[in-house]
Amino acid sequence: MDVWFQLLDRMLLAVGQLFTNPFYYIGIVFIVLHYRKQIQLERKLFHTRLHSLLNETWRVVLWGWLGGLGASILLLFVGVNIQLNVVIVLWIITVVLMIFRIRFLCLAYAVGILGIAQVIFSWFPNADSLRESYTFLETIASADIPSLLVIVGVLHLLEGVLVGYQGARMATPLFLEGKRGQMIGAQQLQGFWPVPLFLLVPMAGGSELGLPWQTLFASNLSAGWTMLAFPAMIGFTELTISKLPKRQARFSAKLLYVYGLVLLGTAVAAHYWTPLVLLVAILSIALHEGLLLYNQWVEAKQTPFYIHSERGLMVLSVVPNSPAQQLGISVGEIIHKVNGYKIKTKTDLHAAMGLNSAFCRLEVLNDQGEVRFLKRGIFAGDHHQLGILLAPDQDVLYFLEQRPMHLFSYLRGKLTGLLPNDTTKSL
């Protein structure tokens, strides 16, 4: 029983350690800035907001904690070996990478770079003397790369779970320019979670009580152990022009599961056979990039889905708590008829809705092509389109350019305009 009290005591100390760690708050500040930018983008394109800054921030922080506790319980049985100075180095690498590309806000890149640097440093003829002279090099040389790669694998499995369950609600509708200059709709699924990990690590002078279980890596905990708080960030960014948000989220989640399992297996192999460390470190970066390129390749082969057709107007999104949401209209459906009149353009939609200022009858085609009949009264203060946000036509004023973004351009967030003599508009 004493060991459980010791675990609880070390856990509480680690929680206190987390709340004094500036990197945890850096992650939360980034999330606030991310959702602020997202809301600004929505208002610019649609003159309304689809997400709440406060609600979304609290939600991702809460899910980050729940996921972090679950991952921490799993890692208790692994026996990872990590020190506080290694955590600091990983965050420094992450922040530097993020300045160049926002998508590098992922532990896979930092751990991969640290692993590659460690192997290259070991090839230096005077490596031992350099370690004694420079603390930074000592930190690189002493980092347990297989343990870190296991953490990366577990975090991506967790990310797959969060993306599968939460990814669709993070979707932001966008206007893009297609291959032939046509305006098309898209869904950007982008989310970040601050994940606090509480890791059981060896430490001289810590608790010497034996654990009632055997760890996978059989870390040397006999000399003492403690709990270390490790604030990590996980996140994903996907853009689809061909799939519904839920389908894209499930597709992305499957890829993340594959990545996490492959990295876990190779990291365990590297723990038992050190020459594999360099290969697995490179794999953590290359495979992550491969998943992104694979999704882009799949999307490039698809026909744009979010465009209007002869059947009617495509629904790109729905305003929360609007009449459209109350009627059950969803992304990917087609507004076929309004008040008995077939709809082909936005002008047709507004004219048909104006036929009856107090009531509206809709015929909507779902993604299976089936017709749904909907009706609702129209009240003062209702959205002029019942809260339906439509795919773009050629008359839209702004669209989003697709280009790699570094930290500052990401936070600036610019749209390209279609107004004469007005090529860019800042949010």
Side-chain angles (χ1 to χ4, degrees), residues 79-153:
V80 297
N81 184 10
I82 184 173
Q83 296 82 32
L84 180 59
N85 52 356
V86 174
V87 175
I88 294 173
V89 168
L90 289 173
W91 267 97
I92 291 173
I93 296 173
T94 300
V95 172
V96 171
L97 290 175
M98 191 171 59
I99 292 175
F100 294 97
R101 287 288 182 271
I102 194 66
R103 63 186 177 84
F104 291 156
L105 182 59
C106 177
L107 192 62
Y109 296 101
V111 171
I113 289 174
L114 184 61
I116 294 170
Q118 183 186 84
V119 174
I120 293 176
F121 176 67
S122 68
W123 295 340
F124 287 14
N126 56 342
D128 291 337
S129 61
L130 288 173
R131 289 179 60 172
E132 296 176 359
S133 303
Y134 300 98
T135 305
F136 181 75
L137 293 177
E138 170 62 26
T139 300
I140 293 176
S142 62
D144 189 338
I145 301 301
S147 289
L148 295 174
L149 291 168
V150 165
I151 293 172
V152 173

Side-chain angles (χ1 to χ4, degrees), residues 6-22 24-25 65 68-69 72 196-199 226-231:
Q6 285 287 324
L7 280 169
L8 179 60
D9 178 67
R10 295 297 189 271
M11 177 71 174
L12 293 176
L13 290 175
V15 170
Q17 183 187 63
L18 176 75
F19 287 128
T20 60
N21 191 316
Y24 181 67
Y25 298 102
W65 268 88
L69 291 175
S72 298
L197 295 178
F198 302 99
L199 307 176
T226 189
M227 299 286 287
L228 174 68
F230 182 5

